[in-house]
Amino acid sequence: MPLDALAVGNDAIAKVLDEIGDLIELKGENVFRAVTYRAAARSIRDLREPLTKLVEERRLKEIPKVGSSVSEAIEQIVATGRSKRHDELQAAVPPGLLTLLRVPGVGPATARTIYDHLKITTIEELEEAAKEHRLQQLPKIQAKTEENILRSIAALKQRTGRSLLHEARAAAMTMADYLRAETGVEQLAIAGSLRRYKETIGDIDIVVAGDDAAPIFEVFARAPSVERVLARGDTKCSVIVDRGLQIDLRVVPARSFGAALLYFTGSKEHNVRLRGLALRRKLLLNEYGLYRIGAEERGQEIASITEEDVYSALEMDFIPPELREDRGEVDAAKAHTLPKLVKLDQVRGDLHTHTNWTDGRDPLADMARRALAKGYAYLAVTDHSPGLGMTNGLSPERIEVRLAEAARLNAELAPFRIIVGTEVDIRANGALDYSDALLAKFDIVSASVHSSFGQTREQMTARVVGAMRHPLVTALSHPTGRLLEKREPHAVDLDAVIDAAVETGTWIEVNGGPERLDLPDTWIRKAVDRGATLVANSDAHAIEELDWMDLAVGTARRGWAPDGRLANVRELDAMLASRKKR
Ligand code: DGT
Ligand code: CA
Ligand code: CA
Ligand code: ZN
């Protein structure tokens, strides 16, 4: 890969080392050498200092896992943008093999076999061969592998090049922390679609207040996560960081910070609507401020320091970023009828979580303590029913053990309360995966579809609505089954689902899993309008994933959900009392 030698960041170097590892394996050299390069790549990604600086100070040996051959490669990349080892390997390995390796499920050995026998070098050819079942005829390739490859290719095709909200946010926070520490800027805000909690992010936008952009851009371009600098102007600088994410940094005068934040938060459609409103009042709104028309050149703004000032000068209520999509929020803000949106700190508990008893990582006690530390009053543990063989669903015996364990922990942690629930599978035929007698043991029953996604809209709707009609089902989990950038939603009539929710009192989940964010925002709004009750959940499979509640609440806010419509904003007793009649 061609690199601008002056702008090579740690991530770019790590990528080359990883690729050396892949090429070593593809070439059939000793795999331990490949392991060496990959281990070095991993420790480089964790570094807090730029490698270029370490090279300059001859301190590469201090990095864990970086031995002499890796050091040599790093020095070459920093000096010339290339590594000799990488070049030699590339010359020795047929082009296209690396492409095959990008398909999850295709390892170096499989890629080799496929290439040697079928001379395949592109993903399109691979898909064709898999569809024609030509892969499973090759040595050591099973029908199962072929199926996995087809599924992976379908997933690759779903990608739009946009990033998941939580990935973009992690990259944005890393950069924001770095800029605060290294530039001394006082006002910094993350803007754009990220601030609006949009489900996927095209690029990251950061706004800082400062009089002189040049030194700030200097520091920005040298950030450890920066892979290359795309463009640098007077007020804007764009870079690429890990995983190809772009960050646009804008430096604006402190006096214009609010107007700039408003402008760069967007959405574009919201901005257009606001500017139209301003114009009708003979005002001009731009990224520097709100002006009386004609006065902008004299720099006499009416409002510009904070967003609140600008909205208020336009005689409207402050519009939370999650609503700024031109979906009626401007008129509502003028009429003072914006909803009182749910807030993260109002959430009293999480009602969809997993432990190491099924596919989670952490034990119940750890999940409960973390929930308590977050300030929650309760936590429902909803491990899977056995229908999903792969996740080791809970047998009747284990349910009893779990109930006893929860009772013990509850005695210790009171008044905090662990609620024993279940995420029960809705089988393809619509039946639930536990008998009614077993379901009755759980205080929260969340029903979900985890199989037979290909059913027709009629079948799927009957399957889901049928489960919602069951008196013991408290909530419907991740209603569309979509996986962002990976899997389309399954065909289901969401209007019928919302009707069933209202009619039966079944809650509809807003799942905060970063790939799910399901129910999607526009449907949340319909559910809210029609009177359904929602429940915002993290679907955490590990203690730190309990923080995904933030994504669930952000998504609920994008769906205009007021606090009163979320079951888990209620205190324990009120929440339990508001479940549908069993
Ligand atoms: P993204 O990056 O595709 O996820 O979405 P945004 O909304 O972050 O869009 P981006 O990064 O292109 O621009 C950031 C904000 O800047 C955008 O939300 C509104 C503002 N903006 C950008 N271009 C225009 C424009 O042509 N007109 C107006 N009024 N605003 C713009
Ligand atoms: Ca953006
Ligand atoms: Ca942008
Ligand atoms: Zn789950």
PDB file of all heavy atoms in Angstrom, residues 340-351 377-378 507 533-537 549 553 556 561-572 574-575 578:
ATOM      1  N   LYS A 340     -40.966  15.732  25.839  1.00  0.00           N
ATOM      2  CA  LYS A 340     -39.987  15.730  26.923  1.00  0.00           C
ATOM      3  C   LYS A 340     -39.236  14.395  26.801  1.00  0.00           C
ATOM      4  O   LYS A 340     -39.654  13.383  27.348  1.00  0.00           O
ATOM      5  CB  LYS A 340     -40.710  15.824  28.270  1.00  0.00           C
ATOM      6  CG  LYS A 340     -39.804  16.151  29.426  1.00  0.00           C
ATOM      7  CD  LYS A 340     -40.649  16.461  30.675  1.00  0.00           C
ATOM      8  CE  LYS A 340     -39.974  15.977  31.941  1.00  0.00           C
ATOM      9  NZ  LYS A 340     -40.167  14.544  32.251  1.00  0.00           N
ATOM     10  N   LEU A 341     -38.159  14.409  26.036  1.00  0.00           N
ATOM     11  CA  LEU A 341     -37.470  13.169  25.681  1.00  0.00           C
ATOM     12  C   LEU A 341     -36.896  12.449  26.891  1.00  0.00           C
ATOM     13  O   LEU A 341     -36.423  13.073  27.839  1.00  0.00           O
ATOM     14  CB  LEU A 341     -36.309  13.461  24.713  1.00  0.00           C
ATOM     15  CG  LEU A 341     -36.647  13.976  23.321  1.00  0.00           C
ATOM     16  CD1 LEU A 341     -35.371  14.118  22.508  1.00  0.00           C
ATOM     17  CD2 LEU A 341     -37.626  13.033  22.631  1.00  0.00           C
ATOM     18  N   VAL A 342     -36.914  11.121  26.815  1.00  0.00           N
ATOM     19  CA  VAL A 342     -36.286  10.306  27.860  1.00  0.00           C
ATOM     20  C   VAL A 342     -34.792  10.643  27.926  1.00  0.00           C
ATOM     21  O   VAL A 342     -34.166  10.955  26.912  1.00  0.00           O
ATOM     22  CB  VAL A 342     -36.507   8.810  27.553  1.00  0.00           C
ATOM     23  CG1 VAL A 342     -35.929   8.417  26.203  1.00  0.00           C
ATOM     24  CG2 VAL A 342     -35.926   7.938  28.661  1.00  0.00           C
ATOM     25  N   LYS A 343     -34.219  10.583  29.141  1.00  0.00           N
ATOM     26  CA  LYS A 343     -32.782  10.827  29.310  1.00  0.00           C
ATOM     27  C   LYS A 343     -32.115   9.601  29.908  1.00  0.00           C
ATOM     28  O   LYS A 343     -32.728   8.870  30.693  1.00  0.00           O
ATOM     29  CB  LYS A 343     -32.552  12.003  30.262  1.00  0.00           C
ATOM     30  CG  LYS A 343     -33.001  13.352  29.738  1.00  0.00           C
ATOM     31  CD  LYS A 343     -32.294  14.440  30.566  1.00  0.00           C
ATOM     32  CE  LYS A 343     -32.758  15.836  30.246  1.00  0.00           C
ATOM     33  NZ  LYS A 343     -34.061  16.178  30.856  1.00  0.00           N
ATOM     34  N   LEU A 344     -30.854   9.428  29.580  1.00  0.00           N
ATOM     35  CA  LEU A 344     -30.113   8.257  30.063  1.00  0.00           C
ATOM     36  C   LEU A 344     -30.173   8.147  31.582  1.00  0.00           C
ATOM     37  O   LEU A 344     -30.357   7.055  32.126  1.00  0.00           O
ATOM     38  CB  LEU A 344     -28.659   8.345  29.578  1.00  0.00           C
ATOM     39  CG  LEU A 344     -27.755   7.183  29.980  1.00  0.00           C
ATOM     40  CD1 LEU A 344     -28.265   5.869  29.405  1.00  0.00           C
ATOM     41  CD2 LEU A 344     -26.313   7.437  29.513  1.00  0.00           C
ATOM     42  N   ASP A 345     -30.019   9.271  32.273  1.00  0.00           N
ATOM     43  CA  ASP A 345     -29.950   9.169  33.739  1.00  0.00           C
ATOM     44  C   ASP A 345     -31.302   8.884  34.390  1.00  0.00           C
ATOM     45  O   ASP A 345     -31.394   8.724  35.602  1.00  0.00           O
ATOM     46  CB  ASP A 345     -29.277  10.408  34.350  1.00  0.00           C
ATOM     47  CG  ASP A 345     -30.064  11.686  34.104  1.00  0.00           C
ATOM     48  OD1 ASP A 345     -31.222  11.589  33.630  1.00  0.00           O
ATOM     49  OD2 ASP A 345     -29.528  12.773  34.385  1.00  0.00           O
ATOM     50  N   GLN A 346     -32.347   8.817  33.568  1.00  0.00           N
ATOM     51  CA  GLN A 346     -33.653   8.443  34.129  1.00  0.00           C
ATOM     52  C   GLN A 346     -33.851   6.932  34.153  1.00  0.00           C
ATOM     53  O   GLN A 346     -34.778   6.437  34.768  1.00  0.00           O
ATOM     54  CB  GLN A 346     -34.775   9.043  33.276  1.00  0.00           C
ATOM     55  CG  GLN A 346     -34.870  10.551  33.349  1.00  0.00           C
ATOM     56  CD  GLN A 346     -35.974  11.045  32.442  1.00  0.00           C
ATOM     57  OE1 GLN A 346     -35.967  10.769  31.241  1.00  0.00           O
ATOM     58  NE2 GLN A 346     -36.934  11.745  32.997  1.00  0.00           N
ATOM     59  N   VAL A 347     -32.984   6.209  33.449  1.00  0.00           N
ATOM     60  CA  VAL A 347     -33.160   4.763  33.341  1.00  0.00           C
ATOM     61  C   VAL A 347     -32.868   4.110  34.688  1.00  0.00           C
ATOM     62  O   VAL A 347     -31.832   4.352  35.292  1.00  0.00           O
ATOM     63  CB  VAL A 347     -32.233   4.198  32.240  1.00  0.00           C
ATOM     64  CG1 VAL A 347     -32.198   2.672  32.282  1.00  0.00           C
ATOM     65  CG2 VAL A 347     -32.689   4.699  30.876  1.00  0.00           C
ATOM     66  N   ARG A 348     -33.818   3.304  35.181  1.00  0.00           N
ATOM     67  CA  ARG A 348     -33.667   2.687  36.498  1.00  0.00           C
ATOM     68  C   ARG A 348     -33.135   1.264  36.434  1.00  0.00           C
ATOM     69  O   ARG A 348     -32.773   0.692  37.461  1.00  0.00           O
ATOM     70  CB  ARG A 348     -35.016   2.706  37.244  1.00  0.00           C
ATOM     71  CG  ARG A 348     -35.622   4.089  37.415  1.00  0.00           C
ATOM     72  CD  ARG A 348     -34.675   5.032  38.161  1.00  0.00           C
ATOM     73  NE  ARG A 348     -34.500   4.614  39.536  1.00  0.00           N
ATOM     74  CZ  ARG A 348     -33.309   4.557  40.140  1.00  0.00           C
ATOM     75  NH1 ARG A 348     -32.204   4.873  39.487  1.00  0.00           N
ATOM     76  NH2 ARG A 348     -33.228   4.170  41.390  1.00  0.00           N
ATOM     77  N   GLY A 349     -33.128   0.669  35.259  1.00  0.00           N
ATOM     78  CA  GLY A 349     -32.626  -0.702  35.177  1.00  0.00           C
ATOM     79  C   GLY A 349     -32.595  -1.196  33.744  1.00  0.00           C
ATOM     80  O   GLY A 349     -33.118  -0.550  32.841  1.00  0.00           O
ATOM     81  N   ASP A 350     -31.941  -2.324  33.568  1.00  0.00           N
ATOM     82  CA  ASP A 350     -31.746  -2.926  32.248  1.00  0.00           C
ATOM     83  C   ASP A 350     -32.510  -4.247  32.252  1.00  0.00           C
ATOM     84  O   ASP A 350     -32.383  -5.030  33.194  1.00  0.00           O
ATOM     85  CB  ASP A 350     -30.236  -3.169  32.068  1.00  0.00           C
ATOM     86  CG  ASP A 350     -29.830  -3.313  30.612  1.00  0.00           C
ATOM     87  OD1 ASP A 350     -30.622  -3.870  29.830  1.00  0.00           O
ATOM     88  OD2 ASP A 350     -28.710  -2.903  30.288  1.00  0.00           O
ATOM     89  N   LEU A 351     -33.302  -4.498  31.226  1.00  0.00           N
ATOM     90  CA  LEU A 351     -34.160  -5.687  31.252  1.00  0.00           C
ATOM     91  C   LEU A 351     -33.808  -6.720  30.184  1.00  0.00           C
ATOM     92  O   LEU A 351     -34.594  -7.611  29.885  1.00  0.00           O
ATOM     93  CB  LEU A 351     -35.636  -5.261  31.145  1.00  0.00           C
ATOM     94  CG  LEU A 351     -36.149  -4.442  32.343  1.00  0.00           C
ATOM     95  CD1 LEU A 351     -37.613  -4.033  32.142  1.00  0.00           C
ATOM     96  CD2 LEU A 351     -36.014  -5.222  33.656  1.00  0.00           C
ATOM     97  N   ALA A 377     -31.562   0.460  39.825  1.00  0.00           N
ATOM     98  CA  ALA A 377     -32.293  -0.153  40.926  1.00  0.00           C
ATOM     99  C   ALA A 377     -32.529  -1.638  40.659  1.00  0.00           C
ATOM    100  O   ALA A 377     -32.784  -2.403  41.575  1.00  0.00           O
ATOM    101  CB  ALA A 377     -33.625   0.554  41.126  1.00  0.00           C
ATOM    102  N   TYR A 378     -32.459  -2.023  39.401  1.00  0.00           N
ATOM    103  CA  TYR A 378     -32.700  -3.437  39.079  1.00  0.00           C
ATOM    104  C   TYR A 378     -32.005  -3.845  37.778  1.00  0.00           C
ATOM    105  O   TYR A 378     -31.620  -2.999  36.962  1.00  0.00           O
ATOM    106  CB  TYR A 378     -34.200  -3.738  38.976  1.00  0.00           C
ATOM    107  CG  TYR A 378     -34.997  -2.790  38.110  1.00  0.00           C
ATOM    108  CD1 TYR A 378     -35.098  -2.986  36.730  1.00  0.00           C
ATOM    109  CD2 TYR A 378     -35.656  -1.696  38.667  1.00  0.00           C
ATOM    110  CE1 TYR A 378     -35.843  -2.120  35.932  1.00  0.00           C
ATOM    111  CE2 TYR A 378     -36.407  -0.822  37.878  1.00  0.00           C
ATOM    112  CZ  TYR A 378     -36.495  -1.041  36.505  1.00  0.00           C
ATOM    113  OH  TYR A 378     -37.220  -0.192  35.722  1.00  0.00           O
ATOM    114  N   TRP A 507     -44.511  -4.933  25.707  1.00  0.00           N
ATOM    115  CA  TRP A 507     -43.564  -3.849  25.433  1.00  0.00           C
ATOM    116  C   TRP A 507     -42.767  -4.147  24.170  1.00  0.00           C
ATOM    117  O   TRP A 507     -42.500  -5.312  23.852  1.00  0.00           O
ATOM    118  CB  TRP A 507     -42.570  -3.688  26.587  1.00  0.00           C
ATOM    119  CG  TRP A 507     -43.228  -3.428  27.906  1.00  0.00           C
ATOM    120  CD1 TRP A 507     -44.467  -2.898  28.114  1.00  0.00           C
ATOM    121  CD2 TRP A 507     -42.678  -3.719  29.199  1.00  0.00           C
ATOM    122  NE1 TRP A 507     -44.709  -2.816  29.462  1.00  0.00           N
ATOM    123  CE2 TRP A 507     -43.643  -3.309  30.152  1.00  0.00           C
ATOM    124  CE3 TRP A 507     -41.470  -4.259  29.655  1.00  0.00           C
ATOM    125  CZ2 TRP A 507     -43.434  -3.438  31.522  1.00  0.00           C
ATOM    126  CZ3 TRP A 507     -41.255  -4.387  31.015  1.00  0.00           C
ATOM    127  CH2 TRP A 507     -42.226  -3.979  31.932  1.00  0.00           C
ATOM    128  N   THR A 533     -45.895   0.914  24.666  1.00  0.00           N
ATOM    129  CA  THR A 533     -44.851   1.108  25.679  1.00  0.00           C
ATOM    130  C   THR A 533     -43.561   0.486  25.172  1.00  0.00           C
ATOM    131  O   THR A 533     -43.559  -0.614  24.619  1.00  0.00           O
ATOM    132  CB  THR A 533     -45.268   0.458  27.011  1.00  0.00           C
ATOM    133  OG1 THR A 533     -46.450   1.101  27.476  1.00  0.00           O
ATOM    134  CG2 THR A 533     -44.169   0.612  28.062  1.00  0.00           C
ATOM    135  N   LEU A 534     -42.464   1.200  25.378  1.00  0.00           N
ATOM    136  CA  LEU A 534     -41.160   0.719  24.930  1.00  0.00           C
ATOM    137  C   LEU A 534     -40.322   0.299  26.127  1.00  0.00           C
ATOM    138  O   LEU A 534     -40.610   0.670  27.265  1.00  0.00           O
ATOM    139  CB  LEU A 534     -40.416   1.843  24.197  1.00  0.00           C
ATOM    140  CG  LEU A 534     -41.128   2.482  23.023  1.00  0.00           C
ATOM    141  CD1 LEU A 534     -40.403   3.755  22.596  1.00  0.00           C
ATOM    142  CD2 LEU A 534     -41.198   1.496  21.855  1.00  0.00           C
ATOM    143  N   VAL A 535     -39.266  -0.471  25.868  1.00  0.00           N
ATOM    144  CA  VAL A 535     -38.284  -0.759  26.904  1.00  0.00           C
ATOM    145  C   VAL A 535     -36.903  -0.651  26.252  1.00  0.00           C
ATOM    146  O   VAL A 535     -36.661  -1.242  25.207  1.00  0.00           O
ATOM    147  CB  VAL A 535     -38.551  -2.140  27.565  1.00  0.00           C
ATOM    148  CG1 VAL A 535     -38.611  -3.266  26.550  1.00  0.00           C
ATOM    149  CG2 VAL A 535     -37.494  -2.451  28.633  1.00  0.00           C
ATOM    150  N   ALA A 536     -36.047   0.192  26.824  1.00  0.00           N
ATOM    151  CA  ALA A 536     -34.708   0.391  26.267  1.00  0.00           C
ATOM    152  C   ALA A 536     -33.743  -0.561  26.964  1.00  0.00           C
ATOM    153  O   ALA A 536     -33.664  -0.567  28.193  1.00  0.00           O
ATOM    154  CB  ALA A 536     -34.249   1.838  26.481  1.00  0.00           C
ATOM    155  N   ASN A 537     -33.054  -1.381  26.202  1.00  0.00           N
ATOM    156  CA  ASN A 537     -32.175  -2.387  26.784  1.00  0.00           C
ATOM    157  C   ASN A 537     -30.799  -2.387  26.138  1.00  0.00           C
ATOM    158  O   ASN A 537     -30.652  -2.005  24.976  1.00  0.00           O
ATOM    159  CB  ASN A 537     -32.776  -3.785  26.573  1.00  0.00           C
ATOM    160  CG  ASN A 537     -33.985  -4.030  27.450  1.00  0.00           C
ATOM    161  OD1 ASN A 537     -34.019  -3.581  28.589  1.00  0.00           O
ATOM    162  ND2 ASN A 537     -34.972  -4.723  26.907  1.00  0.00           N
ATOM    163  N   MET A 549     -26.688   0.907  26.957  1.00  0.00           N
ATOM    164  CA  MET A 549     -27.966   1.552  27.260  1.00  0.00           C
ATOM    165  C   MET A 549     -28.011   2.949  26.636  1.00  0.00           C
ATOM    166  O   MET A 549     -29.057   3.417  26.185  1.00  0.00           O
ATOM    167  CB  MET A 549     -28.150   1.641  28.782  1.00  0.00           C
ATOM    168  CG  MET A 549     -29.466   2.257  29.210  1.00  0.00           C
ATOM    169  SD  MET A 549     -30.897   1.301  28.670  1.00  0.00           S
ATOM    170  CE  MET A 549     -30.880  -0.011  29.892  1.00  0.00           C
ATOM    171  N   VAL A 553     -31.025   4.478  24.482  1.00  0.00           N
ATOM    172  CA  VAL A 553     -31.737   5.703  24.833  1.00  0.00           C
ATOM    173  C   VAL A 553     -31.592   6.736  23.704  1.00  0.00           C
ATOM    174  O   VAL A 553     -32.557   7.408  23.337  1.00  0.00           O
ATOM    175  CB  VAL A 553     -31.238   6.266  26.188  1.00  0.00           C
ATOM    176  CG1 VAL A 553     -31.813   7.651  26.451  1.00  0.00           C
ATOM    177  CG2 VAL A 553     -31.619   5.308  27.317  1.00  0.00           C
ATOM    178  N   ALA A 556     -34.008   5.778  21.112  1.00  0.00           N
ATOM    179  CA  ALA A 556     -35.377   6.094  21.556  1.00  0.00           C
ATOM    180  C   ALA A 556     -35.627   7.597  21.404  1.00  0.00           C
ATOM    181  O   ALA A 556     -36.700   8.021  20.954  1.00  0.00           O
ATOM    182  CB  ALA A 556     -35.581   5.660  23.005  1.00  0.00           C
ATOM    183  N   ALA A 561     -39.214   9.569  21.723  1.00  0.00           N
ATOM    184  CA  ALA A 561     -39.834   8.874  22.854  1.00  0.00           C
ATOM    185  C   ALA A 561     -39.742   9.704  24.129  1.00  0.00           C
ATOM    186  O   ALA A 561     -38.654  10.031  24.580  1.00  0.00           O
ATOM    187  CB  ALA A 561     -39.162   7.514  23.063  1.00  0.00           C
ATOM    188  N   PRO A 562     -40.880  10.052  24.722  1.00  0.00           N
ATOM    189  CA  PRO A 562     -40.863  10.764  26.000  1.00  0.00           C
ATOM    190  C   PRO A 562     -40.574   9.782  27.139  1.00  0.00           C
ATOM    191  O   PRO A 562     -40.799   8.576  26.994  1.00  0.00           O
ATOM    192  CB  PRO A 562     -42.277  11.319  26.123  1.00  0.00           C
ATOM    193  CG  PRO A 562     -43.106  10.658  25.091  1.00  0.00           C
ATOM    194  CD  PRO A 562     -42.244   9.782  24.247  1.00  0.00           C
ATOM    195  N   ASP A 563     -40.088  10.305  28.257  1.00  0.00           N
ATOM    196  CA  ASP A 563     -39.698   9.419  29.363  1.00  0.00           C
ATOM    197  C   ASP A 563     -40.839   8.524  29.835  1.00  0.00           C
ATOM    198  O   ASP A 563     -40.622   7.377  30.191  1.00  0.00           O
ATOM    199  CB  ASP A 563     -39.091  10.222  30.525  1.00  0.00           C
ATOM    200  CG  ASP A 563     -39.964  11.404  30.939  1.00  0.00           C
ATOM    201  OD1 ASP A 563     -41.133  11.461  30.484  1.00  0.00           O
ATOM    202  OD2 ASP A 563     -39.484  12.257  31.700  1.00  0.00           O
ATOM    203  N   GLY A 564     -42.060   9.072  29.795  1.00  0.00           N
ATOM    204  CA  GLY A 564     -43.185   8.296  30.310  1.00  0.00           C
ATOM    205  C   GLY A 564     -43.483   7.026  29.527  1.00  0.00           C
ATOM    206  O   GLY A 564     -44.239   6.173  29.986  1.00  0.00           O
ATOM    207  N   ARG A 565     -42.884   6.872  28.349  1.00  0.00           N
ATOM    208  CA  ARG A 565     -43.217   5.724  27.526  1.00  0.00           C
ATOM    209  C   ARG A 565     -42.227   4.591  27.635  1.00  0.00           C
ATOM    210  O   ARG A 565     -42.341   3.587  26.936  1.00  0.00           O
ATOM    211  CB  ARG A 565     -43.326   6.168  26.070  1.00  0.00           C
ATOM    212  CG  ARG A 565     -44.406   7.200  25.910  1.00  0.00           C
ATOM    213  CD  ARG A 565     -45.731   6.652  26.441  1.00  0.00           C
ATOM    214  NE  ARG A 565     -46.262   5.775  25.441  1.00  0.00           N
ATOM    215  CZ  ARG A 565     -46.801   6.247  24.325  1.00  0.00           C
ATOM    216  NH1 ARG A 565     -46.951   7.529  24.131  1.00  0.00           N
ATOM    217  NH2 ARG A 565     -47.233   5.422  23.439  1.00  0.00           N
ATOM    218  N   LEU A 566     -41.236   4.730  28.523  1.00  0.00           N
ATOM    219  CA  LEU A 566     -40.269   3.652  28.682  1.00  0.00           C
ATOM    220  C   LEU A 566     -40.492   2.915  29.994  1.00  0.00           C
ATOM    221  O   LEU A 566     -40.429   3.512  31.074  1.00  0.00           O
ATOM    222  CB  LEU A 566     -38.830   4.202  28.630  1.00  0.00           C
ATOM    223  CG  LEU A 566     -38.245   4.082  27.217  1.00  0.00           C
ATOM    224  CD1 LEU A 566     -38.795   5.188  26.345  1.00  0.00           C
ATOM    225  CD2 LEU A 566     -36.751   4.085  27.256  1.00  0.00           C
ATOM    226  N   ALA A 567     -40.740   1.616  29.886  1.00  0.00           N
ATOM    227  CA  ALA A 567     -41.042   0.818  31.072  1.00  0.00           C
ATOM    228  C   ALA A 567     -39.914   0.901  32.092  1.00  0.00           C
ATOM    229  O   ALA A 567     -40.160   0.968  33.296  1.00  0.00           O
ATOM    230  CB  ALA A 567     -41.287  -0.629  30.667  1.00  0.00           C
ATOM    231  N   ASN A 568     -38.657   0.905  31.628  1.00  0.00           N
ATOM    232  CA  ASN A 568     -37.543   0.823  32.581  1.00  0.00           C
ATOM    233  C   ASN A 568     -37.056   2.184  33.072  1.00  0.00           C
ATOM    234  O   ASN A 568     -35.981   2.291  33.647  1.00  0.00           O
ATOM    235  CB  ASN A 568     -36.389  -0.012  32.029  1.00  0.00           C
ATOM    236  CG  ASN A 568     -35.901   0.448  30.689  1.00  0.00           C
ATOM    237  OD1 ASN A 568     -36.674   0.875  29.838  1.00  0.00           O
ATOM    238  ND2 ASN A 568     -34.603   0.367  30.483  1.00  0.00           N
ATOM    239  N   VAL A 569     -37.890   3.210  32.867  1.00  0.00           N
ATOM    240  CA  VAL A 569     -37.652   4.487  33.543  1.00  0.00           C
ATOM    241  C   VAL A 569     -38.425   4.447  34.872  1.00  0.00           C
ATOM    242  O   VAL A 569     -38.184   5.214  35.774  1.00  0.00           O
ATOM    243  CB  VAL A 569     -38.106   5.648  32.628  1.00  0.00           C
ATOM    244  CG1 VAL A 569     -38.359   6.921  33.385  1.00  0.00           C
ATOM    245  CG2 VAL A 569     -37.055   5.861  31.536  1.00  0.00           C
ATOM    246  N   ARG A 570     -39.350   3.473  34.967  1.00  0.00           N
ATOM    247  CA  ARG A 570     -40.167   3.348  36.178  1.00  0.00           C
ATOM    248  C   ARG A 570     -39.376   2.682  37.301  1.00  0.00           C
ATOM    249  O   ARG A 570     -38.474   1.880  37.047  1.00  0.00           O
ATOM    250  CB  ARG A 570     -41.417   2.524  35.860  1.00  0.00           C
ATOM    251  CG  ARG A 570     -42.239   3.191  34.766  1.00  0.00           C
ATOM    252  CD  ARG A 570     -43.335   2.306  34.183  1.00  0.00           C
ATOM    253  NE  ARG A 570     -43.903   3.018  33.023  1.00  0.00           N
ATOM    254  CZ  ARG A 570     -44.564   2.423  32.031  1.00  0.00           C
ATOM    255  NH1 ARG A 570     -44.784   1.120  32.044  1.00  0.00           N
ATOM    256  NH2 ARG A 570     -45.011   3.139  31.021  1.00  0.00           N
ATOM    257  N   GLU A 571     -39.756   3.003  38.544  1.00  0.00           N
ATOM    258  CA  GLU A 571     -39.168   2.319  39.693  1.00  0.00           C
ATOM    259  C   GLU A 571     -39.593   0.851  39.664  1.00  0.00           C
ATOM    260  O   GLU A 571     -40.597   0.503  39.031  1.00  0.00           O
ATOM    261  CB  GLU A 571     -39.618   2.985  40.997  1.00  0.00           C
ATOM    262  CG  GLU A 571     -39.038   4.373  41.220  1.00  0.00           C
ATOM    263  CD  GLU A 571     -37.502   4.396  41.255  1.00  0.00           C
ATOM    264  OE1 GLU A 571     -36.880   3.354  41.567  1.00  0.00           O
ATOM    265  OE2 GLU A 571     -36.915   5.444  40.952  1.00  0.00           O
ATOM    266  N   LEU A 572     -38.856   0.019  40.383  1.00  0.00           N
ATOM    267  CA  LEU A 572     -39.069  -1.427  40.325  1.00  0.00           C
ATOM    268  C   LEU A 572     -40.542  -1.845  40.413  1.00  0.00           C
ATOM    269  O   LEU A 572     -41.051  -2.542  39.532  1.00  0.00           O
ATOM    270  CB  LEU A 572     -38.257  -2.115  41.447  1.00  0.00           C
ATOM    271  CG  LEU A 572     -38.450  -3.619  41.565  1.00  0.00           C
ATOM    272  CD1 LEU A 572     -37.893  -4.346  40.353  1.00  0.00           C
ATOM    273  CD2 LEU A 572     -37.786  -4.147  42.841  1.00  0.00           C
ATOM    274  N   ALA A 574     -43.339  -0.131  40.193  1.00  0.00           N
ATOM    275  CA  ALA A 574     -44.181   0.415  39.131  1.00  0.00           C
ATOM    276  C   ALA A 574     -43.895  -0.297  37.817  1.00  0.00           C
ATOM    277  O   ALA A 574     -44.817  -0.600  37.039  1.00  0.00           O
ATOM    278  CB  ALA A 574     -43.944   1.910  38.994  1.00  0.00           C
ATOM    279  N   MET A 575     -42.631  -0.600  37.580  1.00  0.00           N
ATOM    280  CA  MET A 575     -42.263  -1.293  36.342  1.00  0.00           C
ATOM    281  C   MET A 575     -42.925  -2.670  36.316  1.00  0.00           C
ATOM    282  O   MET A 575     -43.566  -3.051  35.335  1.00  0.00           O
ATOM    283  CB  MET A 575     -40.732  -1.403  36.252  1.00  0.00           C
ATOM    284  CG  MET A 575     -40.188  -2.035  34.992  1.00  0.00           C
ATOM    285  SD  MET A 575     -40.141  -3.817  35.041  1.00  0.00           S
ATOM    286  CE  MET A 575     -38.854  -4.093  36.260  1.00  0.00           C
ATOM    287  N   SER A 578     -46.560  -2.600  35.767  1.00  0.00           N
ATOM    288  CA  SER A 578     -47.023  -2.175  34.447  1.00  0.00           C
ATOM    289  C   SER A 578     -46.854  -3.260  33.386  1.00  0.00           C
ATOM    290  O   SER A 578     -47.147  -3.034  32.219  1.00  0.00           O
ATOM    291  CB  SER A 578     -46.299  -0.887  34.030  1.00  0.00           C
ATOM    292  OG  SER A 578     -44.925  -1.135  33.822  1.00  0.00           O
TER     293      SER A 578
END
